[in-house]
Amino acid sequence: MSDYFYLYAGLGSAAVSAIFYGVYKNREGSIRSLQNAVEVEIGSQLRNALLASDTRSIPYGVIRGETKPQKPNEVIRSSRVADVTGVMQRVKTREHKSEWSRTTRLWHDIERTISSASSSVPFCLFGNGDNVKVMEPLSAEQLTLKVIHDKFEPVSSSVAESLVQWASGDKTKGFQTIEEMLPVGTTLTGIGEITLTDDGIKIGPPKSGLTYYLSQLTLDAIMRQLQSGKKVWKILSAIFAFGSGILFLVSLVLYFKRRRDREVELDLIRRMREEVNVLGEGEVLDQQEACVICMDRQRNVVILDCGHICCCIDCAQRVNNCPVCRRVIARLIPTYNS
């Protein structure tokens, strides 16, 4: 394990904690913005509030009404379900298949979207005899469509085709078609910038950068949903922050331990250098005891992590790899012959 494993792990945990904390603060800001949003009813109350404003707008307002197309004849009709009309439609085709995993040696079912098409018509929110045009609905948060058609069609394969698929490790089981729609008459909560123009009242994404919502939930339900999610992100942020603190502490303890061991090792090496003598002229050292590098000094150090005793302390400090096995030298342990 790397000497810096716990340090890097602590940095990673701190980064994840910071990301979770950022999501938590973003949720908290969204809740605060919703609490300060102006909630008005579509109709005379909304129109009077806009007329009373100098800018003919409400920077962040909340309205609730039924979806209706801006032009009665411009609706989307489902080709799969009779008598169903809407203002937004999404059709997805998903492929279901089995793939052979060489790692687990098992067949695994997987799904993937092979096509997705969306369409919409201009629509508005209607209430109390008045309507508000909805701008850029696809950019809104929490806009869920109702599933009106979900059909799976299996693929029939011949024996030969099945054998080919089995041999290739890729078997197509069938295709699933899902049609979603926002039906006419669905009650939506719109939260965004509301403006009064010559073309009528409109709601769209706020220029301030606040979140734009189109949801079937009420304002209170949206806030409760954000509140519950906020707690989860806060807890996750605290858990990873605590984990990073523990990892940093372990890294610090190991650092001082390595530093102490290094000081002891350097002291032993210094003392050994004072005791080691080079062979004089005419003296012969047993080849099995001589340093394999200089051949003049006795072998007096253990190379870690390989454990070879093959050279003297001076030569061992001049190389990065063990002369015998070429492994990287991690530590040097002096030896003494009694």
Side-chain angles (χ1 to χ4, degrees), residues 92-95 112-116 175-176:
K92 295 186 294 185
T93 303
R94 298 182 62 82
E95 181 185 16
R112 66 185 184 97
T113 301
I114 58 176
S115 67
S116 179
F175 297 92
Q176 179 185 15

Side-chain angles (χ1 to χ4, degrees), residues 39-190:
E39 188 172 7
V40 289
E41 290 186 359
I42 298 175
S44 59
Q45 182 186 8
L46 175 59
R47 192 169 291 272
N48 293 335
L50 291 170
L51 290 171
S53 172
D54 295 335
T55 59
R56 298 290 181 92
S57 68
I58 299 175
Y60 205 51
V62 183
I63 57 174
R64 189 169 174 82
E66 294 183 358
T67 57
K68 286 190 175 181
Q70 293 184 16
K71 296 180 180 180
N73 296 328
E74 289 188 0
V75 294
I76 301 174
R77 301 184 183 277
S78 172
S79 60
R80 299 169 179 83
V81 183
D83 301 326
V84 176
T85 59
V87 294
M88 293 184 68
Q89 181 191 50
R90 183 187 299 121
V91 180
K92 295 186 294 185
T93 303
R94 298 182 62 82
E95 181 185 16
H96 293 252
K97 59 193 307 186
S98 294
E99 284 189 353
W100 175 258
S101 173
R102 295 182 179 179
T103 304
T104 61
R105 313 297 294 176
L106 295 171
W107 288 93
H108 295 278
D109 293 335
I110 62 171
E111 300 178 13
R112 66 185 184 97
T113 301
I114 58 176
S115 67
S116 179
S118 300
S119 59
S120 64
V121 297
F123 68 95
C124 59
L125 298 180
F126 180 83
N128 298 321
D130 205 349
N131 60 71
V132 178
K133 296 179 181 179
V134 178
M135 312 304 294
E136 302 181 35
L138 295 177
S139 64
E141 296 283 340
Q142 297 194 5
L143 181 58
T144 56
L145 306 184
K146 181 182 178 182
V147 177
I148 61 172
H149 176 80
D150 189 348
K151 185 178 180 180
F152 177 78
E153 296 181 358
V155 174
S156 57
S157 303
S158 63
V159 175
E161 291 174 338
S162 299
L163 290 174
V164 171
Q165 292 178 354
W166 178 82
S168 63
D170 190 343
K171 298 189 296 184
T172 300
K173 301 170 67 176
F175 297 92
Q176 179 185 15
T177 303
I178 303 172
E179 182 181 4
E180 300 172 310
M181 186 172 286
L182 183 61
V184 173
T186 303
T187 301
L188 291 181
T189 299

Side-chain angles (χ1 to χ4, degrees), residues 16-32 226-238:
V16 173
S17 175
I19 293 173
F20 287 162
Y21 185 74
V23 175
Y24 160 73
K25 293 300 291 184
N26 183 57
R27 290 291 183 96
E28 190 175 44
S30 298
I31 293 172
R32 192 180 302 111
L226 291 174
Q227 189 72 34
S228 62
K230 184 187 76 168
K231 293 179 180 178
V232 173
W233 291 113
K234 186 177 182 180
I235 292 172
L236 288 174
S237 176

